[in-house]
Amino acid sequence: MSIKIRKYNKDDLEEMIKIWNAVVDDGIAFPQEDFLTDTTGALFFESQTYCGVAENTENGKICGLYILHPNNVGRCGHICNASYAVDKESRGLHIGEKLVNDCLLQGKNYDFRVLQFNAVVESNTHARHLYERLGFVQLGVIPNGFRMKDGHYENICPYYYEL
């Protein structure tokens, strides 16, 4: 499989919304509980500073995405935040790593100085290992900071990376 990371376009929205909603439905990684519709999805992705997609160049299928946006405003506006989603059938193929690396480049391109993840669920070991391998620093642990889909709470681990 040959993967290209590129800026999203409107033709990608249907697949992006499907991938995003699948992660929301899993209820173990994203804080969102509401699903995107065609309308809310278009507005959501359009409102980001940048959205990248992972495209399988062999068949044109979108198999992953990320969003990049400010984490805060004003004096903290130089810190960005991002979220990543990979299609279930494409997990384990290092697409997440390609998305994160592109996100780091785009963060610099948009003059952000730090990429901060506010709520990485402690049990999301694949994501945590990836971030740590790429040089992200864990800031600590927030006990019971994430309510899982089944209602129990898990710790979250904030991370940052200096761009």
Side-chain angles (χ1 to χ4, degrees):
M1 178 185 305
S2 177
I3 300 296
K4 175 174 115 177
I5 309 298
R6 61 168 174 78
K7 185 175 183 175
Y8 94 104
N9 63 58
K10 292 186 189 313
D11 294 336
D12 302 323
L13 283 171
E14 183 178 340
E15 289 180 86
M16 292 171 70
I17 291 167
K18 179 182 168 191
I19 293 168
W20 185 271
N21 285 344
V23 175
V24 171
D25 189 46
D26 287 343
I28 60 173
F30 284 178
Q32 292 86 354
E33 295 179 303
D34 297 328
F35 296 119
L36 298 174
T37 64
D38 291 344
T39 302
T40 61
L43 292 170
F44 175 72
F45 292 119
E46 183 179 293
S47 72
Q48 306 302 317
T49 302
Y50 186 89
C51 293
V53 295
E55 178 184 1
N56 179 338
T57 59
E58 296 166 12
N59 62 15
K61 183 179 182 330
I62 302 302
C63 50
L65 64 100
Y66 73 88
I67 60 170
L68 175 70
H69 53 264
N71 193 54
N72 213 316
V73 297
R75 297 184 192 279
C76 294
H78 61 283
I79 301 174
C80 60
N81 181 267
S83 298
Y84 309 91
V86 176
D87 184 68
K88 286 182 182 184
E89 295 86 45
S90 303
R91 292 182 188 161
L93 302 174
H94 304 285
I95 294 168
E97 183 172 357
K98 289 176 170 55
L99 291 167
V100 174
N101 281 324
D102 190 75
C103 181
L104 294 173
L105 293 173
Q106 293 302 329
K108 286 181 190 177
N109 289 344
Y110 283 92
D111 295 324
F112 291 111
R113 298 187 64 187
V114 175
L115 174 56
Q116 179 177 315
F117 300 145
N118 302 320
V120 180
V121 179
E122 189 173 51
S123 62
N124 190 351
T125 56
H126 293 293
R128 295 182 62 218
H129 290 155
L130 170 62
Y131 302 149
E132 290 167 11
R133 188 165 37 83
L134 294 177
F136 284 78
V137 177
Q138 184 177 335
L139 292 168
V141 174
I142 300 170
N144 299 311
F146 191 92
R147 183 175 39 81
M148 303 295 275
K149 185 177 181 177
D150 68 5
H152 83 276
Y153 289 85
E154 290 199 15
N155 298 339
I156 55 176
C157 304
Y159 282 87
Y160 78 96
Y161 184 97
E162 289 189 50
L163 301 170

